[in-house]
Amino acid sequence: WSSDVCSSDLDDSGAMTADEEMQFRNMVSRLHKIFTYARAQNVRVMVDAEQSYFQPAIHRLTIEMMRTYNTDKAIVFNTYQCYLKKAHKTITLDLEQAKRQNFYFGAKLVRGAYMEQERARAGLLGYKDPINEDFPATSAMYHKVLDECLTRIHGLKMSGEDPQRIGIMVASHNEDTEIGRASCRERV
């Protein structure tokens, strides 16, 4: 490669073009404005999730924003889609990162909204389906993820640490989750 080749001249290198880089920087700047304002107003911000093929970038940015803004309490919340087979592994790794790097952790737990679209794309492109087999498997994952959070909150409480180092929003309208949420209050 010649040193006079600009990254914006490359079409298929995988690198961002100059315009994409500018858009990315503008987006990050807007995120900082939102989270700075949220912290000043003492409100939480739930960062929504998208399809699994977009989610790694959203996830990474959200964790970075947690590291920056969740220093005294959970302001930034990441959304965990429990229809994904890897939901428990993902939240467990993120909880461990928050503990290691000493920031407050925020999680919004949802079942998910893109099941059919995700399955169709996996079939079309020939990769392993990232979605749990069915609704009962998704509900089991949802409860496993919720239990992971509640167990850790309880552990913080029992060890005399701040149990609010882990904040969760249980986002569901399913009866089994509502019943489970009521029993969760008793556990914590």
PDB file of all heavy atoms in Angstrom, residues 120-155:
ATOM      1  N   ALA A 120     -34.619 -16.415  10.345  1.00  0.00           N
ATOM      2  CA  ALA A 120     -34.613 -16.367   8.883  1.00  0.00           C
ATOM      3  C   ALA A 120     -33.225 -15.986   8.358  1.00  0.00           C
ATOM      4  O   ALA A 120     -32.727 -16.594   7.402  1.00  0.00           O
ATOM      5  CB  ALA A 120     -35.659 -15.374   8.385  1.00  0.00           C
ATOM      6  N   ARG A 121     -32.602 -15.022   8.989  1.00  0.00           N
ATOM      7  CA  ARG A 121     -31.276 -14.580   8.547  1.00  0.00           C
ATOM      8  C   ARG A 121     -30.243 -15.686   8.748  1.00  0.00           C
ATOM      9  O   ARG A 121     -29.392 -15.918   7.890  1.00  0.00           O
ATOM     10  CB  ARG A 121     -30.861 -13.325   9.297  1.00  0.00           C
ATOM     11  CG  ARG A 121     -29.571 -12.711   8.781  1.00  0.00           C
ATOM     12  CD  ARG A 121     -29.335 -11.343   9.421  1.00  0.00           C
ATOM     13  NE  ARG A 121     -28.338 -10.590   8.709  1.00  0.00           N
ATOM     14  CZ  ARG A 121     -27.036 -10.609   9.007  1.00  0.00           C
ATOM     15  NH1 ARG A 121     -26.594 -11.364   9.987  1.00  0.00           N
ATOM     16  NH2 ARG A 121     -26.181  -9.878   8.307  1.00  0.00           N
ATOM     17  N   ALA A 122     -30.304 -16.366   9.889  1.00  0.00           N
ATOM     18  CA  ALA A 122     -29.372 -17.471  10.148  1.00  0.00           C
ATOM     19  C   ALA A 122     -29.531 -18.558   9.088  1.00  0.00           C
ATOM     20  O   ALA A 122     -28.539 -19.084   8.571  1.00  0.00           O
ATOM     21  CB  ALA A 122     -29.590 -18.038  11.544  1.00  0.00           C
ATOM     22  N   GLY A 123     -30.775 -18.881   8.751  1.00  0.00           N
ATOM     23  CA  GLY A 123     -31.028 -19.888   7.722  1.00  0.00           C
ATOM     24  C   GLY A 123     -30.537 -19.448   6.360  1.00  0.00           C
ATOM     25  O   GLY A 123     -29.912 -20.218   5.629  1.00  0.00           O
ATOM     26  N   LEU A 124     -30.803 -18.206   6.011  1.00  0.00           N
ATOM     27  CA  LEU A 124     -30.413 -17.666   4.712  1.00  0.00           C
ATOM     28  C   LEU A 124     -28.898 -17.619   4.541  1.00  0.00           C
ATOM     29  O   LEU A 124     -28.360 -17.978   3.498  1.00  0.00           O
ATOM     30  CB  LEU A 124     -30.990 -16.254   4.536  1.00  0.00           C
ATOM     31  CG  LEU A 124     -30.667 -15.538   3.232  1.00  0.00           C
ATOM     32  CD1 LEU A 124     -31.359 -16.230   2.063  1.00  0.00           C
ATOM     33  CD2 LEU A 124     -31.104 -14.084   3.317  1.00  0.00           C
ATOM     34  N   LEU A 125     -28.205 -17.209   5.601  1.00  0.00           N
ATOM     35  CA  LEU A 125     -26.751 -17.055   5.513  1.00  0.00           C
ATOM     36  C   LEU A 125     -25.985 -18.286   5.995  1.00  0.00           C
ATOM     37  O   LEU A 125     -24.762 -18.323   5.932  1.00  0.00           O
ATOM     38  CB  LEU A 125     -26.313 -15.817   6.302  1.00  0.00           C
ATOM     39  CG  LEU A 125     -26.888 -14.493   5.787  1.00  0.00           C
ATOM     40  CD1 LEU A 125     -26.436 -13.334   6.665  1.00  0.00           C
ATOM     41  CD2 LEU A 125     -26.487 -14.257   4.334  1.00  0.00           C
ATOM     42  N   GLY A 126     -26.717 -19.288   6.479  1.00  0.00           N
ATOM     43  CA  GLY A 126     -26.102 -20.560   6.833  1.00  0.00           C
ATOM     44  C   GLY A 126     -25.265 -20.565   8.104  1.00  0.00           C
ATOM     45  O   GLY A 126     -24.297 -21.317   8.193  1.00  0.00           O
ATOM     46  N   TYR A 127     -25.624 -19.745   9.074  1.00  0.00           N
ATOM     47  CA  TYR A 127     -24.913 -19.822  10.348  1.00  0.00           C
ATOM     48  C   TYR A 127     -25.851 -20.349  11.429  1.00  0.00           C
ATOM     49  O   TYR A 127     -27.065 -20.426  11.237  1.00  0.00           O
ATOM     50  CB  TYR A 127     -24.271 -18.491  10.751  1.00  0.00           C
ATOM     51  CG  TYR A 127     -25.217 -17.324  10.959  1.00  0.00           C
ATOM     52  CD1 TYR A 127     -25.869 -17.127  12.171  1.00  0.00           C
ATOM     53  CD2 TYR A 127     -25.419 -16.380   9.950  1.00  0.00           C
ATOM     54  CE1 TYR A 127     -26.710 -16.045  12.365  1.00  0.00           C
ATOM     55  CE2 TYR A 127     -26.260 -15.294  10.139  1.00  0.00           C
ATOM     56  CZ  TYR A 127     -26.896 -15.133  11.358  1.00  0.00           C
ATOM     57  OH  TYR A 127     -27.728 -14.062  11.554  1.00  0.00           O
ATOM     58  N   LYS A 128     -25.266 -20.736  12.546  1.00  0.00           N
ATOM     59  CA  LYS A 128     -26.025 -21.347  13.633  1.00  0.00           C
ATOM     60  C   LYS A 128     -27.058 -20.360  14.189  1.00  0.00           C
ATOM     61  O   LYS A 128     -26.746 -19.199  14.449  1.00  0.00           O
ATOM     62  CB  LYS A 128     -25.059 -21.790  14.734  1.00  0.00           C
ATOM     63  CG  LYS A 128     -25.705 -22.627  15.800  1.00  0.00           C
ATOM     64  CD  LYS A 128     -24.667 -23.145  16.783  1.00  0.00           C
ATOM     65  CE  LYS A 128     -25.343 -23.952  17.870  1.00  0.00           C
ATOM     66  NZ  LYS A 128     -24.378 -24.436  18.851  1.00  0.00           N
ATOM     67  N   ASP A 129     -28.267 -20.833  14.367  1.00  0.00           N
ATOM     68  CA  ASP A 129     -29.353 -20.016  14.897  1.00  0.00           C
ATOM     69  C   ASP A 129     -28.997 -19.552  16.309  1.00  0.00           C
ATOM     70  O   ASP A 129     -28.770 -20.366  17.201  1.00  0.00           O
ATOM     71  CB  ASP A 129     -30.635 -20.861  14.920  1.00  0.00           C
ATOM     72  CG  ASP A 129     -31.874 -20.096  15.353  1.00  0.00           C
ATOM     73  OD1 ASP A 129     -31.759 -18.908  15.720  1.00  0.00           O
ATOM     74  OD2 ASP A 129     -32.962 -20.692  15.334  1.00  0.00           O
ATOM     75  N   PRO A 130     -28.941 -18.215  16.553  1.00  0.00           N
ATOM     76  CA  PRO A 130     -28.564 -17.710  17.871  1.00  0.00           C
ATOM     77  C   PRO A 130     -29.712 -17.684  18.886  1.00  0.00           C
ATOM     78  O   PRO A 130     -29.514 -17.331  20.048  1.00  0.00           O
ATOM     79  CB  PRO A 130     -28.100 -16.275  17.565  1.00  0.00           C
ATOM     80  CG  PRO A 130     -28.939 -15.869  16.398  1.00  0.00           C
ATOM     81  CD  PRO A 130     -29.123 -17.136  15.579  1.00  0.00           C
ATOM     82  N   ILE A 131     -30.913 -18.094  18.442  1.00  0.00           N
ATOM     83  CA  ILE A 131     -32.120 -17.952  19.242  1.00  0.00           C
ATOM     84  C   ILE A 131     -32.450 -19.253  19.974  1.00  0.00           C
ATOM     85  O   ILE A 131     -32.295 -20.344  19.433  1.00  0.00           O
ATOM     86  CB  ILE A 131     -33.315 -17.570  18.327  1.00  0.00           C
ATOM     87  CG1 ILE A 131     -32.983 -16.319  17.502  1.00  0.00           C
ATOM     88  CG2 ILE A 131     -34.596 -17.383  19.115  1.00  0.00           C
ATOM     89  CD1 ILE A 131     -32.623 -15.113  18.307  1.00  0.00           C
ATOM     90  N   ASN A 132     -32.949 -19.112  21.199  1.00  0.00           N
ATOM     91  CA  ASN A 132     -33.412 -20.288  21.940  1.00  0.00           C
ATOM     92  C   ASN A 132     -34.497 -21.003  21.138  1.00  0.00           C
ATOM     93  O   ASN A 132     -35.216 -20.394  20.349  1.00  0.00           O
ATOM     94  CB  ASN A 132     -33.954 -19.877  23.312  1.00  0.00           C
ATOM     95  CG  ASN A 132     -32.841 -19.524  24.260  1.00  0.00           C
ATOM     96  OD1 ASN A 132     -31.871 -20.250  24.395  1.00  0.00           O
ATOM     97  ND2 ASN A 132     -32.977 -18.391  24.922  1.00  0.00           N
ATOM     98  N   GLU A 133     -34.620 -22.284  21.393  1.00  0.00           N
ATOM     99  CA  GLU A 133     -35.492 -23.163  20.605  1.00  0.00           C
ATOM    100  C   GLU A 133     -36.947 -22.702  20.557  1.00  0.00           C
ATOM    101  O   GLU A 133     -37.592 -22.747  19.517  1.00  0.00           O
ATOM    102  CB  GLU A 133     -35.404 -24.578  21.182  1.00  0.00           C
ATOM    103  CG  GLU A 133     -36.192 -25.597  20.414  1.00  0.00           C
ATOM    104  CD  GLU A 133     -36.040 -26.984  21.014  1.00  0.00           C
ATOM    105  OE1 GLU A 133     -34.939 -27.320  21.483  1.00  0.00           O
ATOM    106  OE2 GLU A 133     -37.032 -27.720  21.001  1.00  0.00           O
ATOM    107  N   ASP A 134     -37.469 -22.272  21.705  1.00  0.00           N
ATOM    108  CA  ASP A 134     -38.889 -21.920  21.759  1.00  0.00           C
ATOM    109  C   ASP A 134     -39.145 -20.978  22.935  1.00  0.00           C
ATOM    110  O   ASP A 134     -38.217 -20.592  23.650  1.00  0.00           O
ATOM    111  CB  ASP A 134     -39.756 -23.185  21.862  1.00  0.00           C
ATOM    112  CG  ASP A 134     -39.335 -24.108  22.996  1.00  0.00           C
ATOM    113  OD1 ASP A 134     -38.714 -23.639  23.978  1.00  0.00           O
ATOM    114  OD2 ASP A 134     -39.633 -25.312  22.909  1.00  0.00           O
ATOM    115  N   PHE A 135     -40.415 -20.622  23.125  1.00  0.00           N
ATOM    116  CA  PHE A 135     -40.769 -19.686  24.200  1.00  0.00           C
ATOM    117  C   PHE A 135     -40.419 -20.235  25.578  1.00  0.00           C
ATOM    118  O   PHE A 135     -39.865 -19.491  26.405  1.00  0.00           O
ATOM    119  CB  PHE A 135     -42.255 -19.306  24.120  1.00  0.00           C
ATOM    120  CG  PHE A 135     -42.636 -18.287  25.153  1.00  0.00           C
ATOM    121  CD1 PHE A 135     -42.339 -16.940  24.967  1.00  0.00           C
ATOM    122  CD2 PHE A 135     -43.270 -18.663  26.321  1.00  0.00           C
ATOM    123  CE1 PHE A 135     -42.656 -15.994  25.928  1.00  0.00           C
ATOM    124  CE2 PHE A 135     -43.602 -17.726  27.299  1.00  0.00           C
ATOM    125  CZ  PHE A 135     -43.294 -16.388  27.095  1.00  0.00           C
ATOM    126  N   PRO A 136     -40.698 -21.508  25.884  1.00  0.00           N
ATOM    127  CA  PRO A 136     -40.291 -22.017  27.210  1.00  0.00           C
ATOM    128  C   PRO A 136     -38.769 -21.930  27.435  1.00  0.00           C
ATOM    129  O   PRO A 136     -38.333 -21.595  28.536  1.00  0.00           O
ATOM    130  CB  PRO A 136     -40.773 -23.470  27.204  1.00  0.00           C
ATOM    131  CG  PRO A 136     -41.941 -23.468  26.268  1.00  0.00           C
ATOM    132  CD  PRO A 136     -41.557 -22.490  25.179  1.00  0.00           C
ATOM    133  N   ALA A 137     -37.980 -22.195  26.404  1.00  0.00           N
ATOM    134  CA  ALA A 137     -36.522 -22.085  26.548  1.00  0.00           C
ATOM    135  C   ALA A 137     -36.104 -20.626  26.756  1.00  0.00           C
ATOM    136  O   ALA A 137     -35.205 -20.330  27.537  1.00  0.00           O
ATOM    137  CB  ALA A 137     -35.825 -22.673  25.329  1.00  0.00           C
ATOM    138  N   THR A 138     -36.787 -19.722  26.070  1.00  0.00           N
ATOM    139  CA  THR A 138     -36.519 -18.295  26.244  1.00  0.00           C
ATOM    140  C   THR A 138     -36.901 -17.849  27.651  1.00  0.00           C
ATOM    141  O   THR A 138     -36.157 -17.111  28.302  1.00  0.00           O
ATOM    142  CB  THR A 138     -37.268 -17.477  25.173  1.00  0.00           C
ATOM    143  OG1 THR A 138     -36.736 -17.819  23.891  1.00  0.00           O
ATOM    144  CG2 THR A 138     -37.130 -15.985  25.396  1.00  0.00           C
ATOM    145  N   SER A 139     -38.046 -18.316  28.132  1.00  0.00           N
ATOM    146  CA  SER A 139     -38.458 -17.976  29.499  1.00  0.00           C
ATOM    147  C   SER A 139     -37.486 -18.545  30.522  1.00  0.00           C
ATOM    148  O   SER A 139     -37.148 -17.878  31.510  1.00  0.00           O
ATOM    149  CB  SER A 139     -39.874 -18.482  29.782  1.00  0.00           C
ATOM    150  OG  SER A 139     -40.807 -17.691  29.079  1.00  0.00           O
ATOM    151  N   ALA A 140     -37.003 -19.757  30.285  1.00  0.00           N
ATOM    152  CA  ALA A 140     -36.024 -20.356  31.193  1.00  0.00           C
ATOM    153  C   ALA A 140     -34.744 -19.516  31.213  1.00  0.00           C
ATOM    154  O   ALA A 140     -34.163 -19.281  32.280  1.00  0.00           O
ATOM    155  CB  ALA A 140     -35.724 -21.797  30.778  1.00  0.00           C
ATOM    156  N   MET A 141     -34.317 -19.042  30.047  1.00  0.00           N
ATOM    157  CA  MET A 141     -33.123 -18.195  29.979  1.00  0.00           C
ATOM    158  C   MET A 141     -33.376 -16.874  30.699  1.00  0.00           C
ATOM    159  O   MET A 141     -32.517 -16.386  31.439  1.00  0.00           O
ATOM    160  CB  MET A 141     -32.733 -17.942  28.519  1.00  0.00           C
ATOM    161  CG  MET A 141     -31.516 -17.043  28.360  1.00  0.00           C
ATOM    162  SD  MET A 141     -29.994 -17.747  29.045  1.00  0.00           S
ATOM    163  CE  MET A 141     -29.607 -18.927  27.760  1.00  0.00           C
ATOM    164  N   TYR A 142     -34.542 -16.311  30.503  1.00  0.00           N
ATOM    165  CA  TYR A 142     -34.897 -15.046  31.162  1.00  0.00           C
ATOM    166  C   TYR A 142     -34.777 -15.201  32.676  1.00  0.00           C
ATOM    167  O   TYR A 142     -34.157 -14.381  33.358  1.00  0.00           O
ATOM    168  CB  TYR A 142     -36.327 -14.652  30.772  1.00  0.00           C
ATOM    169  CG  TYR A 142     -36.732 -13.266  31.196  1.00  0.00           C
ATOM    170  CD1 TYR A 142     -36.634 -12.201  30.311  1.00  0.00           C
ATOM    171  CD2 TYR A 142     -37.230 -13.008  32.470  1.00  0.00           C
ATOM    172  CE1 TYR A 142     -37.011 -10.923  30.676  1.00  0.00           C
ATOM    173  CE2 TYR A 142     -37.607 -11.739  32.847  1.00  0.00           C
ATOM    174  CZ  TYR A 142     -37.503 -10.697  31.946  1.00  0.00           C
ATOM    175  OH  TYR A 142     -37.865  -9.430  32.316  1.00  0.00           O
ATOM    176  N   HIS A 143     -35.334 -16.269  33.195  1.00  0.00           N
ATOM    177  CA  HIS A 143     -35.307 -16.497  34.636  1.00  0.00           C
ATOM    178  C   HIS A 143     -33.889 -16.831  35.123  1.00  0.00           C
ATOM    179  O   HIS A 143     -33.505 -16.445  36.233  1.00  0.00           O
ATOM    180  CB  HIS A 143     -36.321 -17.561  35.032  1.00  0.00           C
ATOM    181  CG  HIS A 143     -37.725 -17.069  34.860  1.00  0.00           C
ATOM    182  ND1 HIS A 143     -38.340 -16.242  35.761  1.00  0.00           N
ATOM    183  CD2 HIS A 143     -38.610 -17.249  33.853  1.00  0.00           C
ATOM    184  CE1 HIS A 143     -39.554 -15.936  35.332  1.00  0.00           C
ATOM    185  NE2 HIS A 143     -39.739 -16.541  34.169  1.00  0.00           N
ATOM    186  N   LYS A 144     -33.099 -17.491  34.296  1.00  0.00           N
ATOM    187  CA  LYS A 144     -31.709 -17.795  34.654  1.00  0.00           C
ATOM    188  C   LYS A 144     -30.894 -16.500  34.757  1.00  0.00           C
ATOM    189  O   LYS A 144     -30.100 -16.318  35.695  1.00  0.00           O
ATOM    190  CB  LYS A 144     -31.102 -18.737  33.608  1.00  0.00           C
ATOM    191  CG  LYS A 144     -29.682 -19.170  33.900  1.00  0.00           C
ATOM    192  CD  LYS A 144     -29.203 -20.165  32.843  1.00  0.00           C
ATOM    193  CE  LYS A 144     -27.787 -20.632  33.130  1.00  0.00           C
ATOM    194  NZ  LYS A 144     -27.324 -21.601  32.123  1.00  0.00           N
ATOM    195  N   VAL A 145     -31.097 -15.605  33.813  1.00  0.00           N
ATOM    196  CA  VAL A 145     -30.400 -14.315  33.815  1.00  0.00           C
ATOM    197  C   VAL A 145     -30.856 -13.476  35.015  1.00  0.00           C
ATOM    198  O   VAL A 145     -30.028 -12.889  35.731  1.00  0.00           O
ATOM    199  CB  VAL A 145     -30.625 -13.573  32.475  1.00  0.00           C
ATOM    200  CG1 VAL A 145     -30.185 -12.129  32.550  1.00  0.00           C
ATOM    201  CG2 VAL A 145     -29.905 -14.301  31.342  1.00  0.00           C
ATOM    202  N   LEU A 146     -32.153 -13.437  35.250  1.00  0.00           N
ATOM    203  CA  LEU A 146     -32.687 -12.700  36.397  1.00  0.00           C
ATOM    204  C   LEU A 146     -32.136 -13.271  37.698  1.00  0.00           C
ATOM    205  O   LEU A 146     -31.712 -12.527  38.590  1.00  0.00           O
ATOM    206  CB  LEU A 146     -34.218 -12.744  36.389  1.00  0.00           C
ATOM    207  CG  LEU A 146     -34.940 -12.093  37.567  1.00  0.00           C
ATOM    208  CD1 LEU A 146     -34.572 -10.618  37.703  1.00  0.00           C
ATOM    209  CD2 LEU A 146     -36.454 -12.262  37.399  1.00  0.00           C
ATOM    210  N   ASP A 147     -32.109 -14.583  37.810  1.00  0.00           N
ATOM    211  CA  ASP A 147     -31.598 -15.225  39.015  1.00  0.00           C
ATOM    212  C   ASP A 147     -30.114 -14.910  39.224  1.00  0.00           C
ATOM    213  O   ASP A 147     -29.672 -14.705  40.362  1.00  0.00           O
ATOM    214  CB  ASP A 147     -31.827 -16.737  38.950  1.00  0.00           C
ATOM    215  CG  ASP A 147     -31.536 -17.406  40.275  1.00  0.00           C
ATOM    216  OD1 ASP A 147     -32.174 -17.035  41.280  1.00  0.00           O
ATOM    217  OD2 ASP A 147     -30.649 -18.288  40.308  1.00  0.00           O
ATOM    218  N   GLU A 148     -29.350 -14.861  38.147  1.00  0.00           N
ATOM    219  CA  GLU A 148     -27.932 -14.497  38.250  1.00  0.00           C
ATOM    220  C   GLU A 148     -27.781 -13.110  38.875  1.00  0.00           C
ATOM    221  O   GLU A 148     -26.974 -12.908  39.782  1.00  0.00           O
ATOM    222  CB  GLU A 148     -27.275 -14.520  36.867  1.00  0.00           C
ATOM    223  CG  GLU A 148     -25.796 -14.212  36.864  1.00  0.00           C
ATOM    224  CD  GLU A 148     -24.946 -15.310  37.468  1.00  0.00           C
ATOM    225  OE1 GLU A 148     -25.294 -16.503  37.308  1.00  0.00           O
ATOM    226  OE2 GLU A 148     -23.924 -14.972  38.101  1.00  0.00           O
ATOM    227  N   CYS A 149     -28.567 -12.173  38.397  1.00  0.00           N
ATOM    228  CA  CYS A 149     -28.504 -10.807  38.939  1.00  0.00           C
ATOM    229  C   CYS A 149     -28.937 -10.777  40.403  1.00  0.00           C
ATOM    230  O   CYS A 149     -28.268 -10.163  41.246  1.00  0.00           O
ATOM    231  CB  CYS A 149     -29.389  -9.872  38.112  1.00  0.00           C
ATOM    232  SG  CYS A 149     -28.795  -9.594  36.436  1.00  0.00           S
ATOM    233  N   LEU A 150     -30.053 -11.437  40.707  1.00  0.00           N
ATOM    234  CA  LEU A 150     -30.570 -11.421  42.078  1.00  0.00           C
ATOM    235  C   LEU A 150     -29.619 -12.108  43.054  1.00  0.00           C
ATOM    236  O   LEU A 150     -29.440 -11.646  44.190  1.00  0.00           O
ATOM    237  CB  LEU A 150     -31.949 -12.071  42.125  1.00  0.00           C
ATOM    238  CG  LEU A 150     -33.047 -11.302  41.400  1.00  0.00           C
ATOM    239  CD1 LEU A 150     -34.325 -12.125  41.355  1.00  0.00           C
ATOM    240  CD2 LEU A 150     -33.286  -9.952  42.046  1.00  0.00           C
ATOM    241  N   THR A 151     -28.999 -13.186  42.620  1.00  0.00           N
ATOM    242  CA  THR A 151     -28.033 -13.884  43.467  1.00  0.00           C
ATOM    243  C   THR A 151     -26.857 -12.977  43.793  1.00  0.00           C
ATOM    244  O   THR A 151     -26.396 -12.916  44.937  1.00  0.00           O
ATOM    245  CB  THR A 151     -27.559 -15.180  42.776  1.00  0.00           C
ATOM    246  OG1 THR A 151     -28.696 -16.027  42.577  1.00  0.00           O
ATOM    247  CG2 THR A 151     -26.503 -15.903  43.592  1.00  0.00           C
ATOM    248  N   ARG A 152     -26.388 -12.253  42.801  1.00  0.00           N
ATOM    249  CA  ARG A 152     -25.262 -11.342  43.020  1.00  0.00           C
ATOM    250  C   ARG A 152     -25.669 -10.154  43.890  1.00  0.00           C
ATOM    251  O   ARG A 152     -24.881  -9.703  44.732  1.00  0.00           O
ATOM    252  CB  ARG A 152     -24.681 -10.886  41.692  1.00  0.00           C
ATOM    253  CG  ARG A 152     -23.922 -12.004  40.998  1.00  0.00           C
ATOM    254  CD  ARG A 152     -23.481 -11.593  39.617  1.00  0.00           C
ATOM    255  NE  ARG A 152     -22.853 -12.674  38.922  1.00  0.00           N
ATOM    256  CZ  ARG A 152     -21.550 -12.735  38.645  1.00  0.00           C
ATOM    257  NH1 ARG A 152     -20.747 -11.770  39.013  1.00  0.00           N
ATOM    258  NH2 ARG A 152     -21.058 -13.770  37.985  1.00  0.00           N
ATOM    259  N   ILE A 153     -26.872  -9.638  43.698  1.00  0.00           N
ATOM    260  CA  ILE A 153     -27.356  -8.542  44.556  1.00  0.00           C
ATOM    261  C   ILE A 153     -27.429  -9.024  45.999  1.00  0.00           C
ATOM    262  O   ILE A 153     -26.989  -8.332  46.931  1.00  0.00           O
ATOM    263  CB  ILE A 153     -28.722  -8.023  44.064  1.00  0.00           C
ATOM    264  CG1 ILE A 153     -28.571  -7.299  42.723  1.00  0.00           C
ATOM    265  CG2 ILE A 153     -29.368  -7.110  45.109  1.00  0.00           C
ATOM    266  CD1 ILE A 153     -29.879  -6.994  42.018  1.00  0.00           C
ATOM    267  N   HIS A 154     -27.964 -10.206  46.195  1.00  0.00           N
ATOM    268  CA  HIS A 154     -28.063 -10.788  47.537  1.00  0.00           C
ATOM    269  C   HIS A 154     -26.664 -10.960  48.143  1.00  0.00           C
ATOM    270  O   HIS A 154     -26.451 -10.667  49.326  1.00  0.00           O
ATOM    271  CB  HIS A 154     -28.804 -12.125  47.484  1.00  0.00           C
ATOM    272  CG  HIS A 154     -29.003 -12.754  48.818  1.00  0.00           C
ATOM    273  ND1 HIS A 154     -29.913 -12.271  49.739  1.00  0.00           N
ATOM    274  CD2 HIS A 154     -28.396 -13.820  49.401  1.00  0.00           C
ATOM    275  CE1 HIS A 154     -29.855 -13.013  50.833  1.00  0.00           C
ATOM    276  NE2 HIS A 154     -28.944 -13.963  50.650  1.00  0.00           N
ATOM    277  N   GLY A 155     -25.717 -11.428  47.340  1.00  0.00           N
ATOM    278  CA  GLY A 155     -24.348 -11.595  47.809  1.00  0.00           C
ATOM    279  C   GLY A 155     -23.730 -10.269  48.250  1.00  0.00           C
ATOM    280  O   GLY A 155     -23.033 -10.209  49.269  1.00  0.00           O
TER     281      GLY A 155
END
